[in-house]
Amino acid sequence: MMKYNFRCEDIGMNCGYEIRGASTEEELLEELKIHAKMSHNLNSIPLDVLEKIKRNIKKSGKYSFSCVDVGMKCGFEIINADSEEELLNELAIHAKLSHNMSTIPQDTLNAIKSKIKVM
């Protein structure tokens, strides 16, 4: 299950506040509204700050993928990678060494991304 995390310091605030493990982005933003009011005297979060917050929300979970999900019959799987980036980097090595692909074509990459499972 995807979890959402945020730290005020990630947007340049001198504040140690952080949220870990929110179930949705909406839940995280609602929690931040309370924090902004109580700790930063903001009745609402300005739009430019809200956009900066959204760009800095970190998603966590365990990412898994199987080549069979995109029609490859090689049996290769990645299970429990810590991020989509880690999974894709590992998959690029597999594609090069096992499928002789110097790069993964964009349409294949899009198919792969649509089949990544997050737990």
Side-chain angles (χ1 to χ4, degrees), residues 4-8 16-22 27-33 35 58:
Y4 298 82
N5 310 297
F6 177 80
R7 299 180 314 171
C8 284
Y17 185 77
E18 65 181 281
I19 295 173
R20 289 187 183 188
E27 176 187 355
L28 184 140
L29 292 172
E30 288 301 313
E31 296 289 340
L32 274 179
K33 287 177 186 176
H35 170 70
K58 306 285 189 285

Side-chain angles (χ1 to χ4, degrees), residues 3-7 10-11 19 22 24-26 28-29 32 50-60:
K3 295 293 182 182
Y4 298 82
N5 310 297
F6 177 80
R7 299 180 314 171
D10 290 342
I11 62 165
I19 295 173
T24 63
E25 187 174 299
E26 293 76 23
L28 184 140
L29 292 172
L32 274 179
L50 185 60
E51 291 304 315
K52 195 186 277 190
I53 288 168
K54 287 182 178 183
R55 285 192 307 271
N56 284 278
I57 292 172
K58 306 285 189 285
K59 298 174 186 172
S60 63

Side-chain angles (χ1 to χ4, degrees), residues 14-82:
N14 185 17
C15 175
Y17 185 77
E18 65 181 281
I19 295 173
R20 289 187 183 188
S23 297
T24 63
E25 187 174 299
E26 293 76 23
E27 176 187 355
L28 184 140
L29 292 172
E30 288 301 313
E31 296 289 340
L32 274 179
K33 287 177 186 176
I34 294 168
H35 170 70
K37 184 172 184 152
M38 302 298 289
S39 298
H40 300 291
N41 295 319
L42 294 172
N43 288 326
S44 64
I45 299 173
L47 190 56
D48 62 324
V49 175
L50 185 60
E51 291 304 315
K52 195 186 277 190
I53 288 168
K54 287 182 178 183
R55 285 192 307 271
N56 284 278
I57 292 172
K58 306 285 189 285
K59 298 174 186 172
S60 63
K62 294 297 182 183
Y63 294 73
S64 302
F65 173 78
S66 174
C67 283
V68 75
D69 291 338
V70 292
M72 304 297 282
K73 297 189 184 342
C74 68
F76 183 77
E77 291 182 288
I78 296 173
I79 299 172
N80 292 331
D82 287 326

